[in-house]
Amino acid sequence: GKPDKITVGVIAIEDVAPIYLGKAKGLFSKRNIDMTLQVGSGGSASISGVVSGQFQFAFANITSLLIARDKGLPLKVLANGNASTGVTGKDFGAVVVKADSPIKTPRDLAGHTVSVNNLKNILDTTIRASTRKDGGDSAKIKFVELAFPDAPAAVLNGRVDAAGVVEPFLTIALNQGARAVSWCLVDTAPNLTIAAYFTREQTVKGNPDLVKRFTDAINESLAYARAHPDEAREILKTYTKIPADVISKITLPAWPNDLNRASIDTLAQLAKQDGLIAKPADLAALLP
């Protein structure tokens, strides 16, 4: 029959390189899926797009999905999105400070202003966790919201004391003389699952064949990107504005096929501890 036309909500960041690569390699079309990728501003936009029916599927970070599920939104995770590399000093996200900053370790962030792209989300959650793990008082961190592209300059000119950033802004900041003081994703849990592809429960129940084909295509895309990192870097030129010389230097996230359920449970416990969700997360309802 005719291909199933779907729209998938994504973000213009390196994390979603596998789905762009999978589309380019025909991994969706061979499963009779005609996929349009629509770029949005972040996890909340992806979630509202799925709930409204604008997107059949989308990509969002785990903390956003936990908060949405806590609010009663019937979302279901289908496949992994991306994960931390699990390697201190070689991950795609970190907290950076000026070279001459008195902040040396995660515990030193207490009492300082730290920017993140979205408040009450995965980045400030993991920065708090990293600070606590290092013996610091995470309640004394003042978080402010600042778009990633503005963060490196804000650190260097002293507008903020530190910034939580991800690639390519991590490499950009380090190239400008900043210094990493917290590898917060690594510190939070081993091989932390960062994001996932998801849909509505209604779609899972109403069109299980499409859901299976989409999930299979995502999983094959993840495996392809993992096996062909040079192609993953190359595809970034088609949907991001990252300069080519920076693309060659950035650290790619990990793209495992399996969700790290233990790490998602850690994020759920942190979300409850930090007041992001009102009740303990029902991971059995959220996860496949």
Side-chain angles (χ1 to χ4, degrees):
K2 290 183 179 180
D4 287 297
K5 288 182 176 291
I6 65 169
T7 302
V8 180
V10 293
I11 313 165
I13 52 178
E14 64 169 1
D15 308 43
V16 297
I19 195 171
Y20 277 92
L21 200 50
K23 181 179 181 180
K25 293 293 176 183
L27 305 185
F28 292 85
S29 58
K30 79 175 185 180
R31 292 178 170 88
N32 216 26
I33 294 173
D34 180 2
M35 180 174 66
T36 298
L37 297 172
Q38 186 162 324
V39 174
S41 58
S44 58
S46 295
I47 288 166
S48 61
V50 166
V51 171
S52 70
Q54 177 189 5
F55 307 142
Q56 285 70 50
F57 306 94
F59 173 96
N61 73 78
I62 295 297
T63 300
S64 288
L65 292 170
L66 290 167
I67 293 170
R69 189 81 209 194
D70 187 62
K71 292 178 178 176
L73 300 179
L75 303 179
K76 190 75 174 179
V77 166
L78 302 175
N80 189 26
N82 70 313
S84 162
T85 64
V87 181
T88 298
K90 291 185 179 180
D91 202 19
F92 74 101
V95 180
V96 296
V97 298
K98 281 198 294 190
D100 61 355
S101 170
I103 301 170
K104 305 295 184 186
T105 69
R107 66 174 170 269
D108 297 334
L109 292 169
H112 290 91
T113 301
V114 182
S115 73
V116 291
N117 65 317
N118 290 128
L119 296 174
K120 297 183 178 180
N121 215 291
I122 192 163
L123 202 48
D124 51 357
T125 294
T126 56
I127 292 169
R128 285 191 186 93
S130 175
T131 300
R132 286 193 288 256
K133 184 178 180 181
D134 195 41
D137 185 352
S138 64
K140 291 182 178 178
I141 300 174
K142 181 185 178 184
F143 286 104
V144 296
E145 200 164 277
L146 187 65
F148 283 139
D150 301 325
V155 169
L156 293 177
N157 66 27
R159 183 176 162 195
V160 295
D161 300 318
V165 290
V166 296
E167 294 288 20
F169 308 103
L170 174 56
T171 291
I172 290 169
L174 295 176
N175 285 347
Q176 292 174 351
R179 177 167 51 82
V181 294
S182 167
W183 296 91
C184 50
L185 307 179
V186 178
D187 292 343
T188 299
N191 305 111
L192 178 71
T193 293
I194 305 295
Y197 291 93
F198 67 99
T199 189
R200 291 187 293 177
E201 286 184 345
Q202 179 182 342
T203 305
V204 174
K205 294 171 183 172
N207 202 338
D209 175 65
L210 173 62
V211 169
K212 183 182 186 304
R213 282 182 283 131
F214 175 80
T215 304
D216 288 347
I218 285 290
N219 282 326
E220 187 176 358
S221 300
L222 290 166
Y224 189 91
R226 197 165 61 243
H228 302 86
D230 290 343
E231 291 186 46
R233 288 183 192 275
E234 194 65 25
I235 203 79
L236 294 176
K237 298 174 183 176
T238 67
Y239 71 94
T240 75
K241 296 178 181 178
I242 307 172
D245 62 323
V246 177
I247 285 176
S248 65
K249 298 171 184 170
I250 59 176
T251 298
L252 297 174
W255 288 306
N257 279 82
D258 294 332
L259 293 156
N260 183 336
R261 290 170 182 261
S263 76
I264 294 173
D265 185 57
T266 296
L267 286 175
Q269 291 177 38
L270 291 171
K272 180 70 172 65
Q273 179 179 342
D274 293 334
L276 303 185
I277 58 177
K279 55 188 179 295
D282 184 357
L283 294 185
L286 176 64
L287 300 181

